[in-house]
Short mmCIF file of all heavy atoms in Angstrom, two decimals:
data_model
loop_
_atom_site.label_atom_id
_atom_site.label_comp_id
_atom_site.label_asym_id
_atom_site.label_seq_id
_atom_site.Cartn_x
_atom_site.Cartn_y
_atom_site.Cartn_z
N ASN A 173 -7.67 2.75 -6.16
CA ASN A 173 -7.23 3.73 -5.13
C ASN A 173 -5.99 3.11 -4.25
O ASN A 173 -6.09 2.94 -3.13
CB ASN A 173 -8.28 4.05 -4.17
CG ASN A 173 -9.39 4.86 -4.94
OD1 ASN A 173 -9.14 5.63 -5.85
ND2 ASN A 173 -10.63 4.57 -4.66
N VAL A 174 -4.92 2.79 -5.03
CA VAL A 174 -3.75 2.23 -4.37
C VAL A 174 -3.05 3.38 -3.59
O VAL A 174 -2.45 4.34 -4.27
CB VAL A 174 -2.85 1.61 -5.35
CG1 VAL A 174 -1.60 1.05 -4.67
CG2 VAL A 174 -3.57 0.56 -6.18
N GLU A 175 -3.01 3.35 -2.31
CA GLU A 175 -2.37 4.41 -1.44
C GLU A 175 -1.07 3.89 -0.86
O GLU A 175 -0.99 2.65 -0.53
CB GLU A 175 -3.32 4.79 -0.29
CG GLU A 175 -4.67 5.29 -0.71
CD GLU A 175 -5.59 5.67 0.47
OE1 GLU A 175 -5.21 5.17 1.58
OE2 GLU A 175 -6.46 6.48 0.32
N PHE A 176 -0.11 4.76 -0.73
CA PHE A 176 1.11 4.28 -0.10
C PHE A 176 1.96 5.47 0.31
O PHE A 176 1.83 6.58 -0.09
CB PHE A 176 2.02 3.39 -1.03
CG PHE A 176 2.27 4.02 -2.38
CD1 PHE A 176 3.56 4.64 -2.63
CD2 PHE A 176 1.41 4.01 -3.47
CE1 PHE A 176 3.86 5.25 -3.80
CE2 PHE A 176 1.69 4.62 -4.72
CZ PHE A 176 2.93 5.24 -4.81
N SER A 177 2.90 5.22 1.22
CA SER A 177 3.87 6.19 1.66
C SER A 177 5.31 5.61 1.63
O SER A 177 5.52 4.50 2.12
CB SER A 177 3.63 6.59 3.14
OG SER A 177 2.33 7.34 3.19
N VAL A 178 6.15 6.26 0.95
CA VAL A 178 7.54 5.74 0.68
C VAL A 178 8.34 5.89 1.96
O VAL A 178 8.24 6.87 2.73
CB VAL A 178 8.16 6.64 -0.46
CG1 VAL A 178 9.66 6.18 -0.59
CG2 VAL A 178 7.41 6.33 -1.75
N VAL A 179 9.24 4.93 2.20
CA VAL A 179 10.13 4.93 3.35
C VAL A 179 11.13 6.06 3.13
O VAL A 179 11.75 6.09 2.05
CB VAL A 179 10.82 3.61 3.47
CG1 VAL A 179 11.90 3.64 4.64
CG2 VAL A 179 9.80 2.50 3.84
N PRO A 180 11.36 6.92 4.17
CA PRO A 180 12.31 8.01 3.96
C PRO A 180 13.76 7.41 3.69
O PRO A 180 14.11 6.31 4.07
CB PRO A 180 12.35 8.66 5.27
CG PRO A 180 10.96 8.38 5.87
CD PRO A 180 10.67 6.99 5.41
N GLU A 181 14.49 8.14 2.84
CA GLU A 181 15.84 7.72 2.54
C GLU A 181 16.72 7.74 3.82
O GLU A 181 16.39 8.41 4.73
CB GLU A 181 16.46 8.65 1.50
CG GLU A 181 15.80 8.57 0.09
CD GLU A 181 16.43 9.49 -0.90
OE1 GLU A 181 17.49 10.07 -0.54
OE2 GLU A 181 16.01 9.41 -2.06
N ALA A 182 17.78 6.96 3.72
CA ALA A 182 18.62 6.81 4.88
C ALA A 182 19.16 8.19 5.28
O ALA A 182 19.33 8.51 6.55
CB ALA A 182 19.80 5.91 4.64
N SER A 183 19.50 9.08 4.37
CA SER A 183 20.05 10.41 4.65
C SER A 183 19.01 11.20 5.52
O SER A 183 19.41 12.05 6.34
CB SER A 183 20.39 11.11 3.32
OG SER A 183 19.25 11.28 2.53
N THR A 184 17.69 11.00 5.14
CA THR A 184 16.64 11.70 5.85
C THR A 184 16.57 11.28 7.36
O THR A 184 16.48 12.02 8.29
CB THR A 184 15.28 11.53 5.19
OG1 THR A 184 15.46 11.97 3.78
CG2 THR A 184 14.20 12.36 5.88
N TRP A 185 16.71 9.91 7.51
CA TRP A 185 16.73 9.41 8.90
C TRP A 185 17.86 9.90 9.63
O TRP A 185 17.79 10.28 10.81
CB TRP A 185 16.78 7.88 8.81
CG TRP A 185 15.41 7.26 8.47
CD1 TRP A 185 15.04 6.66 7.28
CD2 TRP A 185 14.31 7.04 9.34
NE1 TRP A 185 13.73 6.16 7.38
CE2 TRP A 185 13.27 6.40 8.60
CE3 TRP A 185 14.10 7.35 10.70
CZ2 TRP A 185 12.01 6.14 9.12
CZ3 TRP A 185 12.81 7.08 11.25
CH2 TRP A 185 11.77 6.44 10.51
N LEU A 186 19.03 9.86 9.02
CA LEU A 186 20.32 10.29 9.76
C LEU A 186 20.16 11.75 10.10
O LEU A 186 20.59 12.18 11.16
CB LEU A 186 21.50 10.10 8.76
CG LEU A 186 21.87 8.58 8.67
CD1 LEU A 186 23.06 8.52 7.62
CD2 LEU A 186 22.31 8.06 10.03
N ALA A 187 19.61 12.66 9.22
CA ALA A 187 19.48 13.97 9.43
C ALA A 187 18.54 14.23 10.60
O ALA A 187 18.73 14.99 11.49
CB ALA A 187 18.98 14.79 8.23
#
Side-chain angles (χ1 to χ4, degrees):
N173 298 323
V174 181
E175 300 180 340
F176 58 95
S177 294
V178 173
V179 174
E181 295 182 2
S183 59
T184 304
W185 283 103
L186 289 174

